[in-house]
């Protein structure tokens, strides 16, 4: 028989909040003794991630707004809209990316592994960007992605 566990999170000063390529990424939980990390990601209108892949699976639960999800399947590149309440599964090594085509910020929770959590911490800044990422920022993010087992396939 499996017991249920509850993880309670409390707002703290100095919470783990990062801005990665314009998205606001906030750690909600790191489940000790597991690879599970939970982040809330706020995606401004027009923001997107490039097509990429990594060895671990991910699960997204859309909280607000809508995202266009792109992921590679056996039939080619699939593109669909996910809205509040939808849950999206990304398999291990599945190429994927997302964009926010809507006028409002989209928010989703992401369950990710330790490599992805460390990538957020390594590439994230404490302040939101004032403009589109510079060539230096893109180079730094690509190097950090490679160091954390993330392959960027298309910018």
């Amino acid at each position: 028989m499996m017991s249920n566990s509850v993880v309670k999170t409390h707002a703290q000063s100095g919470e783990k909040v990062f801005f990665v390529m314009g998205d606001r990424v906030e750690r909600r939980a790191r489940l000790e003794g597991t690879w599970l990390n939970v982040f809330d990601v706020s995606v401004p209108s027009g923001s997107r991630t490039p097509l990429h892949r990594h060895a671990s699976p991910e699960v997204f639960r859309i909280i607000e707004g809508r995202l266009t999800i792109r992921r590679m399947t056996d039939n080619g590149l699939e593109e669909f809209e996910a809205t509040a309440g939808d849950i999206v599964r990304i398999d291990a090594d599945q190429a994927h990316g997302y964009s926010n085509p809507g006028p409002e910020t989209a928010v989703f929770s992401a369950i990710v592994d330790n490599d992805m959590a460390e990538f957020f911490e390594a590439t994230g800044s404490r302040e939101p960007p004032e403009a589109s990422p510079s060539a230096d920022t893109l180079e730094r993010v690509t190097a950090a992605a490679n160091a954390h087992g993330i392959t960027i396939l298309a910018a």
Side-chain angles (χ1 to χ4, degrees):
M1 182 170 181
M2 188 159 74
S3 65
N4 291 325
S5 296
V6 175
V7 176
K8 294 188 179 195
T9 60
H10 304 281
Q12 302 170 3
S13 60
E15 287 184 81
K16 296 281 188 173
V17 175
F18 306 96
F19 291 88
V20 179
M21 301 297 292
D23 292 353
R24 183 180 189 275
V25 180
E26 180 178 0
R27 180 187 300 283
R28 289 303 196 180
R30 171 174 262 155
L31 304 181
E32 296 300 324
T34 74
W35 63 270
L36 296 172
N37 295 270
V38 180
F39 288 87
D40 283 350
V41 181
S42 298
V43 185
S45 176
S47 186
R48 67 180 185 87
T49 60
L51 203 60
H52 64 282
R53 70 170 178 246
H54 36 79
S56 64
E58 291 180 290
V59 176
F60 302 156
R61 181 176 182 277
I62 312 304
I63 299 170
E64 297 175 17
R66 61 189 171 113
L67 290 175
T68 299
I69 308 290
R70 296 180 328 275
R71 63 184 178 189
M72 190 60 73
T73 69
D74 291 340
N75 298 324
L77 191 62
E78 170 187 60
E79 186 172 293
F80 61 93
E81 185 174 284
T83 59
D86 290 346
I87 296 174
V88 178
R89 183 186 81 216
I90 305 296
D91 293 329
D93 291 315
Q94 183 176 37
H96 63 284
Y98 62 79
S99 61
N100 178 359
E104 290 98 24
T105 296
V107 180
F108 68 96
S109 285
I111 299 172
V112 301
D113 75 347
N114 289 331
D115 276 336
M116 186 62 71
E118 290 170 6
F119 168 74
F120 291 152
E121 292 177 2
T123 60
S125 64
R126 292 288 184 183
E127 299 296 323
E130 294 181 16
S132 296
S134 67
D136 288 343
T137 298
L138 293 174
E139 187 175 311
R140 181 177 57 80
V141 168
T142 299
N146 291 336
H148 291 92
I150 301 164
T151 302
I152 297 176
L153 302 170

